[in-house]
Amino acid sequence: MRDAVIVEAVRTPIGKRNGGLASVHPADLSAQVLIALTQRSGIDPAIVDDVIWGCVNQVGEQTFDLARTAALSAGWPESVPGTTVDRQCGSSQQAVHFAAAGVIAGHYDMVVAGGVESMTRVPMGSTMIANPLGQRYIERYGVEFPNQGIGAEEIADRWGLSRAQLDEFSLESHEKAARATDEGRFQDQIVPVPTVEGLISIDEGIRRGSTVTKLATLAPAFRPDGCITAANSSQISDGAAALLITSSENAERLGLRPLARIHTAVLAALSPMPMLHAPMPATEKALAKSGLQLTDIGAFEVNEAFASVPLAWLKDIGADPALLNPLGGAIALGHPLGGSGARLMTTLVHHMRDENIRYGLQTMCEGGGQANATILELL
């Protein structure tokens, strides 16, 4: 049976909203990681069977099949096709799942999976202006559209998480990301991006020197009596990430050394209210399908959409907190929606390689009450 392996994984630095990457068109931002994949692997881009690209707000500069535009912007041959995927925040993780399935089935020999979001140039919610859901949610859930911030508050309530716990987790995310940056842990995965203001090569969202006392002064963002603030929520960001996926046989034929095998890939879905708790059943489903135990997993990447999400996941799943988001997460690094799944996987596979970790698991909450979960096996 064919398998699917990752032979390269790269990302751009993550830019703050209106920050260093604000001048870069999302197709050009995507092109930077596509070019890096071919340069690092040495493959001819003409052998890429497809580019599967995650993007949430597919409007304006991110419309008209951004995957295809990105491949052309990278200077790749016109023979390379592309398709764009929207599974909300998990879009580029889903792109990896589609790519792996295509390789295993024999439809692809070489495929690129990843994603992008320029939240500066195409603001969050832009597609809702043209296509409101409105009555569809009112009839079933009593609201015009489920609010993720309120969902994060409901998760904190349901799992008994305090404001202090959320702020402490957020501070740790920044501290871990700052330490990883200082130690050069992101250097191999980051592709510097040329801009009109110079080369951007470092994640811009990391805040140093904060304290829980400072974080406690921020007002709640979604509910007057709530605990979700700007500090314990993910950052609005710009960025892209991509992975080169093939089979073991094809990698050997081309002289490529795989980083990891895509061992297991699953989906889960629950009610859109409170929306953000599907990573729990997704994790359980991935473990059951893989035949692995929780203790077999040496690293977990759980997207920090809000601090309440990974903390509730920890309480529910019972994983070792020391193995969760060891290099920081979206609270510190940022959350460029359509690119985040591939960013997490890029960070995970490099961390697994650096620390010789055999199995790693990634999961993330998604709009509409869904979640992807992926288990990687180091090769």
Side-chain angles (χ1 to χ4, degrees), residues 182-264:
D182 293 344
E183 293 174 354
R185 298 294 300 276
F186 296 135
Q187 188 170 341
D188 286 349
Q189 60 190 258
I190 288 181
V191 177
V193 178
T195 74
V196 293
E197 297 178 351
L199 199 66
I200 305 298
S201 59
I202 296 177
D203 299 309
E204 295 182 332
I206 302 169
R207 292 189 291 271
R208 300 171 183 266
S210 190
T211 65
V212 171
T213 302
K214 289 180 182 178
L215 298 187
T217 64
L218 275 70
F222 301 100
R223 204 173 69 189
D225 63 341
C227 57
I228 303 297
T229 70
N232 56 45
S233 305
S234 58
Q235 298 185 41
I236 296 173
S237 311
D238 306 329
L243 301 98
L244 187 61
I245 299 170
T246 186
S247 65
S248 291
E249 295 85 353
N250 198 43
E252 183 177 3
R253 183 177 65 84
L254 295 172
L256 301 173
R257 182 177 179 181
L259 295 168
R261 175 180 293 110
I262 299 168
H263 186 285
T264 303

Side-chain angles (χ1 to χ4, degrees), residues 3 20 47 58-59 94 136 181 224 241 327 336 345 358 366:
D3 63 358
I47 71 170
Q58 295 181 35
V59 67
Q94 182 60 57
R136 290 170 176 81
T181 299
L327 306 182
M345 194 168 294
R358 183 173 182 184
E366 301 158 359

Side-chain angles (χ1 to χ4, degrees), residues 29-228:
L29 196 58
S30 303
Q32 293 299 314
V33 287
L34 297 185
I35 293 168
L37 286 181
T38 55
Q39 289 178 339
R40 294 187 182 199
S41 65
I43 69 163
D44 181 346
I47 71 170
V48 173
D49 294 307
D50 205 358
V51 175
I52 307 176
W53 212 239
C55 185
V56 175
N57 290 291
Q58 295 181 35
V59 67
E61 292 181 349
Q62 294 181 165
T63 194
F64 201 65
D65 191 1
L66 185 57
R68 172 65 167 168
T69 310
L72 295 173
S73 297
W76 286 12
E78 294 174 352
S79 59
V80 179
T83 188
T84 307
V85 176
D86 175 9
R87 199 185 288 277
Q88 297 295 284
C89 295
S91 295
S92 53
Q93 186 175 359
Q94 182 60 57
V96 171
H97 286 198
F98 283 150
V103 168
I104 292 168
H107 300 311
Y108 298 135
D109 288 319
M110 184 71 68
V111 60
V112 169
V116 69
E117 205 83 29
S118 177
M119 301 179 75
T120 297
R121 300 172 72 93
V122 184
M124 184 166 55
S126 296
T127 53
M128 292 296 295
I129 297 171
N131 185 29
L133 293 175
Q135 197 64 28
R136 290 170 176 81
Y137 275 86
I138 291 173
E139 290 170 355
R140 186 161 183 178
Y141 300 105
V143 296
E144 183 172 357
F145 187 72
N147 183 297
Q148 293 194 14
I150 296 300
E153 292 281 9
E154 292 180 8
I155 286 174
D157 293 343
R158 185 181 299 187
W159 272 271
L161 300 169
S162 69
R163 166 73 181 269
Q165 287 176 297
L166 302 187
D167 287 348
E168 287 169 4
F169 181 87
S170 302
L171 183 62
E172 289 174 1
S173 182
H174 285 280
E175 290 174 344
K176 289 188 287 189
R179 184 165 55 250
T181 299
D182 293 344
E183 293 174 354
R185 298 294 300 276
F186 296 135
Q187 188 170 341
D188 286 349
Q189 60 190 258
I190 288 181
V191 177
V193 178
T195 74
V196 293
E197 297 178 351
L199 199 66
I200 305 298
S201 59
I202 296 177
D203 299 309
E204 295 182 332
I206 302 169
R207 292 189 291 271
R208 300 171 183 266
S210 190
T211 65
V212 171
T213 302
K214 289 180 182 178
L215 298 187
T217 64
L218 275 70
F222 301 100
R223 204 173 69 189
D225 63 341
C227 57
I228 303 297

Side-chain angles (χ1 to χ4, degrees), residues 173 233-235 237 303-305 325 328-335 340 343:
S173 182
S233 305
S234 58
Q235 298 185 41
S237 311
N303 193 38
E304 297 173 1
N325 300 351
I331 288 172
L333 297 171
H335 182 14
S340 285
R343 197 287 298 168

